[in-house]
Amino acid sequence: MVERRFDVVVVGAGPAGSTTALRLARAGFSVALLDAQRFPRFKPCGEFMSPEVLPMLAELGVRDELACAGAREVRGMLLHGHGRVVQGRFIDVGGAQAPFDHGWAVRRELFDATLAGCARKAGVELLEGHRVTGLLRGGAGDVEGVECSSPAREKLTLRARFVVGADGTRSRVATELGVRRETPWLRKVALVTRYSDVPWGDRAEVHLLERGFFAVAPVEGGDVSLNLVLDAAEYERAGLPRDELLEEWLRRTPALGERILRGRRIDPVRGTGAMAMSTTRQTFDGAALVGDASGYVDPITGEGIFFALKGAELLTESLSRALHAGRTDARALQPYLAGRRREIAPRIAFSLLLQRGLRHPALVGAAFRLLAARPRLVDTLVSVTGDYVPLRELARPSVWWNALGTPRGAA
Ligand SMILES: Cc1cc2nc3c(=O)[nH]c(=O)nc-3n(C[C@H](O)[C@H](O)[C@H](O)COP(=O)(O)OP(=O)(O)OC[C@H]3O[C@@H](n4cnc5c(N)ncnc54)[C@H](O)[C@@H]3O)c2cc1C
């Protein structure tokens, strides 16, 4: 068995893992970044990135590369539901200024490969096709590394001062640590594909359905990325092949289907299920969880990439300090947990609240009537999902005065 040693082993080279590895390498640590797959690889996603992600990408040094590769600007959101359409832009809300008036949409094959490539250039040892199969534990239960299998099915032992689990919603690391919990009331299935030759503007669209939603965003090359998210029970009841089920729902949703079905599907319809999960702990002696591996709600507000990048930023600040001080215990990572409570937990709570509200059609109908009458309220809602508005801004009466005070058509 081959055995190697690093300061940090990061499991999973999605946005959370690559960003964590890149930041730690820049801080001077030796880092191995493992992924079970090879890049570029597909990842089911709506492929929308909020405005707040763009400065983060600039800081990481990948924004120009992605812009040159054709990342599409997304200047707001159209929400369709209950026979109404409302349109929101990214605006300043209270004291929170929009860093840009747009977010981005980029194919995940391109985005994730670019970030992983940037980590490699910074000195990270990127081990593609390496699947982690277990954790190495010390006598006191502390994590001391990982076991993995190489593409040649060789067993490898990677010893490390610290292990980061960034291996997504089905995290092996979180499972091994015994902290991963499913969220049964949010059991959803997503069907994901892309179309070309669809006339599309510069907005993303969400079409609410009785038991789910469509989300569509324009991506590089003039194509659109399309997700259908359904309650798992609805998907199972239909019992149709994925492509037939998708087309049936597109026909049932003419405001979207009439445009999409005139185009050409350029990717297979891929499915993913049981996305929502939580973890009971995120820091351990010798290990931590970040990104989807630390918990994930549902894609409706399109914030998972922000959570991944922000989580990586908070973790690496805390972990760099701890490692420089010679510490790897869970207590040394308190600032990471405090940052998560401040920056991530309120947004997850907001998303969960939204999910619960969406289960009550009368409530959704009333919300759409209000949104249709108050365009500034739609801008405020869309801006909150843009990740630059701290939720505490919503406690300012002036925010509500602005959002509710200007009816449609008023000067
Ligand atoms: C249908 C859908 C639509 C979405 N739409 C959006 C959107 O529009 N905008 C947005 O911001 N977010 C969206 N999200 C969420 C977003 O995709 C995730 O939050 C984001 O990818 C999380 O990044 P991550 O790095 O934590 O995990 P991932 O991107 O899942 O990366 C995890 C990596 O770990 C690797 N891995 C897994 N197990 C192992 C193992 N045992 N050993 C080694 N490697 C392993 C995987 O191969 C993978 O590359 C959506 C999600 C879904 C499911």
Side-chain angles (χ1 to χ4, degrees), residues 210-224:
E210 223 174 281
R211 288 187 190 81
F213 62 90
F214 274 109
V216 192
V219 289
E220 342 67 274
D223 302 328
V224 296

PDB file of all heavy atoms in Angstrom, residues 210-224:
ATOM      1  N   GLU A 210     -47.211  22.882  -9.301  1.00  0.00           N
ATOM      2  CA  GLU A 210     -47.940  22.469  -8.097  1.00  0.00           C
ATOM      3  C   GLU A 210     -47.029  21.763  -7.098  1.00  0.00           C
ATOM      4  O   GLU A 210     -47.095  21.999  -5.899  1.00  0.00           O
ATOM      5  CB  GLU A 210     -49.067  21.536  -8.514  1.00  0.00           C
ATOM      6  CG  GLU A 210     -50.364  21.832  -7.795  1.00  0.00           C
ATOM      7  CD  GLU A 210     -51.453  20.975  -8.373  1.00  0.00           C
ATOM      8  OE1 GLU A 210     -51.973  21.323  -9.457  1.00  0.00           O
ATOM      9  OE2 GLU A 210     -51.719  19.926  -7.769  1.00  0.00           O
ATOM     10  N   ARG A 211     -46.183  20.871  -7.598  1.00  0.00           N
ATOM     11  CA  ARG A 211     -45.293  20.130  -6.683  1.00  0.00           C
ATOM     12  C   ARG A 211     -43.843  20.236  -7.130  1.00  0.00           C
ATOM     13  O   ARG A 211     -43.142  19.237  -7.206  1.00  0.00           O
ATOM     14  CB  ARG A 211     -45.712  18.661  -6.608  1.00  0.00           C
ATOM     15  CG  ARG A 211     -46.989  18.472  -5.848  1.00  0.00           C
ATOM     16  CD  ARG A 211     -47.323  17.030  -5.620  1.00  0.00           C
ATOM     17  NE  ARG A 211     -48.671  16.937  -5.104  1.00  0.00           N
ATOM     18  CZ  ARG A 211     -49.758  16.980  -5.855  1.00  0.00           C
ATOM     19  NH1 ARG A 211     -49.661  17.112  -7.161  1.00  0.00           N
ATOM     20  NH2 ARG A 211     -50.950  16.894  -5.311  1.00  0.00           N
ATOM     21  N   GLY A 212     -43.423  21.431  -7.436  1.00  0.00           N
ATOM     22  CA  GLY A 212     -42.032  21.605  -7.851  1.00  0.00           C
ATOM     23  C   GLY A 212     -41.835  22.898  -8.590  1.00  0.00           C
ATOM     24  O   GLY A 212     -42.632  23.831  -8.475  1.00  0.00           O
ATOM     25  N   PHE A 213     -40.770  22.943  -9.392  1.00  0.00           N
ATOM     26  CA  PHE A 213     -40.505  24.155 -10.188  1.00  0.00           C
ATOM     27  C   PHE A 213     -39.535  23.843 -11.315  1.00  0.00           C
ATOM     28  O   PHE A 213     -38.792  22.865 -11.275  1.00  0.00           O
ATOM     29  CB  PHE A 213     -39.940  25.273  -9.301  1.00  0.00           C
ATOM     30  CG  PHE A 213     -38.617  24.949  -8.657  1.00  0.00           C
ATOM     31  CD1 PHE A 213     -37.415  25.244  -9.278  1.00  0.00           C
ATOM     32  CD2 PHE A 213     -38.573  24.335  -7.405  1.00  0.00           C
ATOM     33  CE1 PHE A 213     -36.192  24.954  -8.678  1.00  0.00           C
ATOM     34  CE2 PHE A 213     -37.352  24.032  -6.799  1.00  0.00           C
ATOM     35  CZ  PHE A 213     -36.159  24.336  -7.440  1.00  0.00           C
ATOM     36  N   PHE A 214     -39.598  24.696 -12.339  1.00  0.00           N
ATOM     37  CA  PHE A 214     -38.567  24.730 -13.372  1.00  0.00           C
ATOM     38  C   PHE A 214     -37.643  25.901 -13.047  1.00  0.00           C
ATOM     39  O   PHE A 214     -38.125  26.972 -12.656  1.00  0.00           O
ATOM     40  CB  PHE A 214     -39.175  25.035 -14.747  1.00  0.00           C
ATOM     41  CG  PHE A 214     -39.688  23.847 -15.496  1.00  0.00           C
ATOM     42  CD1 PHE A 214     -41.053  23.656 -15.671  1.00  0.00           C
ATOM     43  CD2 PHE A 214     -38.811  22.924 -16.057  1.00  0.00           C
ATOM     44  CE1 PHE A 214     -41.536  22.579 -16.389  1.00  0.00           C
ATOM     45  CE2 PHE A 214     -39.287  21.848 -16.784  1.00  0.00           C
ATOM     46  CZ  PHE A 214     -40.642  21.661 -16.954  1.00  0.00           C
ATOM     47  N   ALA A 215     -36.342  25.730 -13.273  1.00  0.00           N
ATOM     48  CA  ALA A 215     -35.400  26.859 -13.195  1.00  0.00           C
ATOM     49  C   ALA A 215     -34.581  26.835 -14.477  1.00  0.00           C
ATOM     50  O   ALA A 215     -34.101  25.770 -14.886  1.00  0.00           O
ATOM     51  CB  ALA A 215     -34.494  26.722 -11.983  1.00  0.00           C
ATOM     52  N   VAL A 216     -34.472  27.987 -15.117  1.00  0.00           N
ATOM     53  CA  VAL A 216     -33.765  28.056 -16.403  1.00  0.00           C
ATOM     54  C   VAL A 216     -32.822  29.258 -16.383  1.00  0.00           C
ATOM     55  O   VAL A 216     -33.204  30.342 -15.945  1.00  0.00           O
ATOM     56  CB  VAL A 216     -34.758  28.233 -17.579  1.00  0.00           C
ATOM     57  CG1 VAL A 216     -34.051  28.013 -18.908  1.00  0.00           C
ATOM     58  CG2 VAL A 216     -35.936  27.295 -17.443  1.00  0.00           C
ATOM     59  N   ALA A 217     -31.603  29.044 -16.866  1.00  0.00           N
ATOM     60  CA  ALA A 217     -30.636  30.156 -16.944  1.00  0.00           C
ATOM     61  C   ALA A 217     -29.891  30.072 -18.268  1.00  0.00           C
ATOM     62  O   ALA A 217     -29.616  28.971 -18.761  1.00  0.00           O
ATOM     63  CB  ALA A 217     -29.656  30.081 -15.778  1.00  0.00           C
ATOM     64  N   PRO A 218     -29.545  31.237 -18.848  1.00  0.00           N
ATOM     65  CA  PRO A 218     -28.751  31.229 -20.086  1.00  0.00           C
ATOM     66  C   PRO A 218     -27.290  30.965 -19.746  1.00  0.00           C
ATOM     67  O   PRO A 218     -26.761  31.573 -18.818  1.00  0.00           O
ATOM     68  CB  PRO A 218     -28.926  32.661 -20.609  1.00  0.00           C
ATOM     69  CG  PRO A 218     -29.197  33.497 -19.389  1.00  0.00           C
ATOM     70  CD  PRO A 218     -29.850  32.605 -18.381  1.00  0.00           C
ATOM     71  N   VAL A 219     -26.638  30.045 -20.472  1.00  0.00           N
ATOM     72  CA  VAL A 219     -25.210  29.756 -20.216  1.00  0.00           C
ATOM     73  C   VAL A 219     -24.377  30.092 -21.458  1.00  0.00           C
ATOM     74  O   VAL A 219     -24.930  30.549 -22.472  1.00  0.00           O
ATOM     75  CB  VAL A 219     -24.985  28.278 -19.788  1.00  0.00           C
ATOM     76  CG1 VAL A 219     -25.518  28.044 -18.391  1.00  0.00           C
ATOM     77  CG2 VAL A 219     -25.593  27.297 -20.781  1.00  0.00           C
ATOM     78  N   GLU A 220     -23.054  29.853 -21.376  1.00  0.00           N
ATOM     79  CA  GLU A 220     -22.175  30.221 -22.490  1.00  0.00           C
ATOM     80  C   GLU A 220     -22.653  29.597 -23.800  1.00  0.00           C
ATOM     81  O   GLU A 220     -23.296  28.545 -23.811  1.00  0.00           O
ATOM     82  CB  GLU A 220     -20.733  29.781 -22.333  1.00  0.00           C
ATOM     83  CG  GLU A 220     -20.086  29.378 -21.093  1.00  0.00           C
ATOM     84  CD  GLU A 220     -20.552  28.132 -20.451  1.00  0.00           C
ATOM     85  OE1 GLU A 220     -21.526  28.230 -19.695  1.00  0.00           O
ATOM     86  OE2 GLU A 220     -19.954  27.063 -20.632  1.00  0.00           O
ATOM     87  N   GLY A 221     -22.306  30.269 -24.887  1.00  0.00           N
ATOM     88  CA  GLY A 221     -22.599  29.732 -26.214  1.00  0.00           C
ATOM     89  C   GLY A 221     -24.046  29.916 -26.628  1.00  0.00           C
ATOM     90  O   GLY A 221     -24.492  29.304 -27.603  1.00  0.00           O
ATOM     91  N   GLY A 222     -24.817  30.721 -25.889  1.00  0.00           N
ATOM     92  CA  GLY A 222     -26.206  30.972 -26.270  1.00  0.00           C
ATOM     93  C   GLY A 222     -27.150  29.828 -25.922  1.00  0.00           C
ATOM     94  O   GLY A 222     -28.301  29.813 -26.368  1.00  0.00           O
ATOM     95  N   ASP A 223     -26.689  28.864 -25.125  1.00  0.00           N
ATOM     96  CA  ASP A 223     -27.554  27.747 -24.721  1.00  0.00           C
ATOM     97  C   ASP A 223     -28.257  28.078 -23.406  1.00  0.00           C
ATOM     98  O   ASP A 223     -27.906  29.053 -22.745  1.00  0.00           O
ATOM     99  CB  ASP A 223     -26.710  26.474 -24.568  1.00  0.00           C
ATOM    100  CG  ASP A 223     -25.991  26.127 -25.872  1.00  0.00           C
ATOM    101  OD1 ASP A 223     -26.557  26.422 -26.944  1.00  0.00           O
ATOM    102  OD2 ASP A 223     -24.864  25.595 -25.811  1.00  0.00           O
ATOM    103  N   VAL A 224     -29.246  27.252 -23.050  1.00  0.00           N
ATOM    104  CA  VAL A 224     -29.884  27.439 -21.742  1.00  0.00           C
ATOM    105  C   VAL A 224     -29.783  26.146 -20.947  1.00  0.00           C
ATOM    106  O   VAL A 224     -29.820  25.049 -21.495  1.00  0.00           O
ATOM    107  CB  VAL A 224     -31.375  27.891 -21.829  1.00  0.00           C
ATOM    108  CG1 VAL A 224     -31.517  29.252 -22.467  1.00  0.00           C
ATOM    109  CG2 VAL A 224     -32.248  26.861 -22.516  1.00  0.00           C
TER     110      VAL A 224
END
